[in-house]
Amino acid sequence: MSVETRKETLGFQTEVKQLLHLMIHSLYSNKEIFLRELISNASDAADKLRFEALAKPELLEGGAELKIRVSFDKDAKTVTLEDNGVGMSREDVIAHLGTIAKSGTADFLKNLSGDQKKDSHLIGQFGVGFYSAFIVADKVEVFTRRAGQPASEGVLWSSRGEGEFEVENIDKAERGTRIVLHLKEGEEEFADGWRLRNIIKKYSDHIALPIELPKEHHGDEEKPAETEWETVNRASALWTRPRTEVKDEEYQEFYKHVAHDYENPLAWSHNKVEGKLEYTSLLYVPARAPFDLYQREAPKGLKLYVQRVFIMDQADQFLPLYLRFIKGVIDSNDLSLNVSREILQSGPVVDSMKSALTKRVLDMLEKLAKGEPEQYKSFWKHFGQVLKEGPAEDFANREKIAGLLRFASTSDESGEPSVSLADYVSRLKEGQDKLYYLTGESYAQVKNSPHLEVFRKKGIEVLLLTDRIDEWLMSYLTEFDGKHFVDVARGDLDLGKLDSEEDKKAQEEVAKTKEGLVERLKAALGEQVAEVRVSHRLTDSPAILAIGEADLGLQMRQILEASGQKVPDSKPIFEFNPTHPLIEKLDREPDEDRFGELSHILFDQAALAAGDSLKDPASYVRRLNKLLVELSA
Ligand code: ADP
Ligand code: MG
């Protein structure tokens, strides 16, 4: 006997142990979903076999009709699922039923709260899968053989779901997988034909393979010697059915199967395209961002079928990266059955499908935003940041994507990202031809920024952008509805027609009277500033720092610094409020030393108000304290 055939006991990966524990405790109220998960896996296994058999028909071993059989034994208290799909080898079994390969799982599990209600939602976003068998079973046996392997290469995996599992080689004549669930005490109700039939109809009707149960025989009928089987599901691919004939619940259950999700989707779009290209697409927006949305190697993409034959999971060539959260199925009549990932990389069919599918998704989101604003809010919370990658990646759809963005704004005290650009445009002041925004680290920081003073005074709305990605986003999003965006913290603020001729004249007059002060400040602040000038944006604050027109903003600078890159040197523009009492006092200060100290304090304060950190905080404190001492003397 070789080492390989020996019976061995192996420990579950730590993550599996944690997940098992959680699942058993938090999904208890919805335990019947175990059947959905196991049927979903059997269906995937059939898809995989059918795909592999395209190149190697001998894998079908003569038996081409793929199906799933569910049976039960009331006395033994077991439920058994049997499929004739692709099966598993010994290595497959150990890898797939002993570990979780998703990267980031350990971190994800660490963050669970221990609050079962909350955690069951989190497990939902993770997908429950095979291990859900242990919600109802205290022992699970998996008899399996990989298609194409000899009968002697069968494997038996068994576990009580505690810390370990056993594997041993067995003989298994038929390819595929048989799973025997030994029901826990109190779960005997599942060893019942009527109950199983109902669960299958409820969750798995959309499965394209026949799911069979033993035919029930009534009292006076003679029971046949051999079990007769009957199909209990509809057994046709859901996406091939006309939209009008598919119920919402069916769309929802199908989603859970393709997306390996536990929760219902937020929205979907089912379309059959005919003409130059022929394909069917069924695209879903999940309700919740998966924990690995930002991980490079996280699964993404659609399930690809060609003429109803499953070809691959995670075909990520059909949607841009910024829509990587979309799940679903495409079934093409134009691609060849032996299409590969390499072939999918480019080509006119894939390109034109990609652009059509992208539009579909954007339309679906638009519809959701219009028709169900509450749902859209939730969508935005989970996926808004990813959508913000759009304008940079997808120039052609820039305007469409822009329409889907949501921002906080000075018009909404809640600080929630609830304002669309269309809302903003609809509220433009007379004469306003620019879209104003301010970026910063947090809502609390930007909402009180001195940069907003003049806008408050004039009642002009400003969008408040506080996501890390925002400054970068705005470097790609230069206009909307034919109007340019203006960063209110940048350059020489020109309010255009929003300032009257008188305003402008008055500003020029004031500027003239302060020319002397400008020169003195330049001398005092020296190398620290690019320029000193009279400000028109301030009503309450004495001074402010503006960013040069072509310079990097604070957010971008911080991102670059954090990633260890060299940040190009740039100096701010110091603007002062000519009518502020502190500035007037400064203007009258005859002592150049004291003038210098005060100027530096004003400069540092302006930096703090802009959310920047001080290069020399100790000197700031020393200067300020000196001033305080003088005041109290
Ligand atoms: P998922 O379905 O999301 O991959 P599961 O926990 O449901 O996760 O299943 C884990 C893996 O175990 C599957 O990806 C598959 O490789 C394998 N597996 C489970 N059930 C079967 C089956 N009936 N036939 C073949 N492989 C299976
Ligand atoms: Mg699964």
Side-chain angles (χ1 to χ4, degrees), residues 37 40-41 44 129-130 260:
E37 295 300 325
S40 171
N41 287 346
D44 288 343
F130 170 79
H260 302 259

Side-chain angles (χ1 to χ4, degrees), residues 242-414:
R243 233 177 356 209
T244 47
E245 284 174 23
V246 185
K247 290 199 287 265
D248 284 359
E249 294 76 38
E250 294 179 280
Y251 277 123
Q252 288 163 344
E253 287 308 325
F254 183 71
Y255 163 77
K256 291 175 192 166
H257 167 60
V258 287
H260 302 259
D261 197 350
Y262 174 81
E263 286 184 74
N264 283 332
L266 215 51
W268 58 85
S269 168
H270 180 191
N271 296 91
K272 195 173 173 136
V273 176
E274 277 162 337
K276 224 161 75 192
L277 288 180
E278 283 188 20
Y279 63 90
T280 301
S281 62
L282 174 48
L283 306 172
Y284 289 95
V285 183
R288 199 178 281 273
F291 72 93
D292 52 3
L293 185 60
Y294 291 97
Q295 303 212 353
R296 211 181 261 275
E297 59 301 4
K300 53 182 163 289
L302 305 170
K303 218 169 161 144
L304 173 65
Y305 288 76
V306 170
Q307 292 160 41
R308 244 101 33 243
V309 178
F310 167 78
I311 303 295
M312 66 180 80
D313 277 313
Q314 298 161 32
D316 57 3
Q317 300 82 354
F318 294 92
L319 284 173
L321 258 181
Y322 72 95
L323 298 179
R324 61 183 174 275
F325 52 87
I326 297 291
K327 304 281 187 208
V329 171
I330 32 178
D331 187 349
S332 162
N333 279 346
D334 306 297
L335 294 168
S336 124
L337 280 167
N338 53 30
V339 67
S340 64
R341 276 189 202 276
E342 290 64 46
I343 294 171
L344 284 179
Q345 278 326 324
S346 64
V349 173
V350 175
D351 289 348
S352 77
M353 281 174 76
K354 180 174 179 175
S355 91
L357 292 167
T358 301
K359 284 234 163 55
R360 278 252 185 270
V361 173
L362 297 176
D363 287 345
M364 166 164 56
L365 293 175
E366 228 162 65
K367 204 171 133 207
L368 186 71
K370 275 216 186 82
E372 296 178 79
E374 278 309 304
Q375 302 267 53
Y376 191 75
K377 215 185 218 171
S378 160
F379 162 78
W380 183 257
K381 196 172 119 220
H382 284 96
F383 300 108
Q385 302 249 2
V386 186
L387 210 62
K388 283 181 175 177
E389 297 171 12
E393 187 186 357
D394 187 357
F395 195 74
N397 286 308
R398 213 163 71 257
E399 185 88 359
K400 231 170 153 48
I401 301 164
L404 293 168
L405 304 177
R406 294 293 180 271
F407 301 107
S409 145
T410 51
S411 74
D412 178 359
E413 287 295 314
S414 74

Side-chain angles (χ1 to χ4, degrees), residues 594-607:
R594 271 177 64 89
F595 181 91
E597 298 280 286
L598 251 172
S599 310
H600 277 102
I601 290 176
L602 287 173
F603 177 87
D604 284 349
Q605 284 183 342

Side-chain angles (χ1 to χ4, degrees), residues 37 41-42 44-45 48 83 86-88 96-97 128-131 177 179 260:
E37 295 300 325
N41 287 346
D44 288 343
K48 278 180 211 153
D83 69 63
V86 72
M88 285 177 273
H96 299 320
L97 308 184
V128 285
F130 170 79
Y131 301 109
T177 304
I179 299 180
H260 302 259

Side-chain angles (χ1 to χ4, degrees), residues 339-489:
V339 67
S340 64
R341 276 189 202 276
E342 290 64 46
I343 294 171
L344 284 179
Q345 278 326 324
S346 64
V349 173
V350 175
D351 289 348
S352 77
M353 281 174 76
K354 180 174 179 175
S355 91
L357 292 167
T358 301
K359 284 234 163 55
R360 278 252 185 270
V361 173
L362 297 176
D363 287 345
M364 166 164 56
L365 293 175
E366 228 162 65
K367 204 171 133 207
L368 186 71
K370 275 216 186 82
E372 296 178 79
E374 278 309 304
Q375 302 267 53
Y376 191 75
K377 215 185 218 171
S378 160
F379 162 78
W380 183 257
K381 196 172 119 220
H382 284 96
F383 300 108
Q385 302 249 2
V386 186
L387 210 62
K388 283 181 175 177
E389 297 171 12
E393 187 186 357
D394 187 357
F395 195 74
N397 286 308
R398 213 163 71 257
E399 185 88 359
K400 231 170 153 48
I401 301 164
L404 293 168
L405 304 177
R406 294 293 180 271
F407 301 107
S409 145
T410 51
S411 74
D412 178 359
E413 287 295 314
S414 74
E416 296 286 319
S418 60
V419 174
S420 72
L421 294 175
D423 294 337
Y424 182 90
V425 167
S426 74
R427 294 192 287 252
L428 291 184
K429 292 285 277 193
E430 193 162 327
Q432 183 181 350
D433 58 356
K434 299 276 195 297
L435 314 175
Y436 295 104
Y437 71 92
L438 176 63
T439 58
E441 208 151 80
S442 67
Y443 177 71
Q445 182 223 316
V446 289
K447 91 171 174 208
N448 294 321
S449 166
H451 284 289
L452 298 175
E453 289 176 8
V454 67
F455 292 90
R456 281 241 168 72
K457 183 174 145 207
K458 291 180 181 280
I460 304 167
E461 182 172 356
V462 179
L463 298 170
L464 304 175
L465 280 52
T466 54
D467 279 339
R468 252 177 105 78
I469 190 177
D470 283 338
E471 204 180 301
W472 182 77
L473 162 71
M474 296 315 283
S475 66
Y476 289 92
L477 197 65
T478 50
E479 54 178 88
F480 178 76
D481 196 30
K483 296 164 191 67
H484 283 275
F485 283 101
V486 170
D487 178 349
V488 303

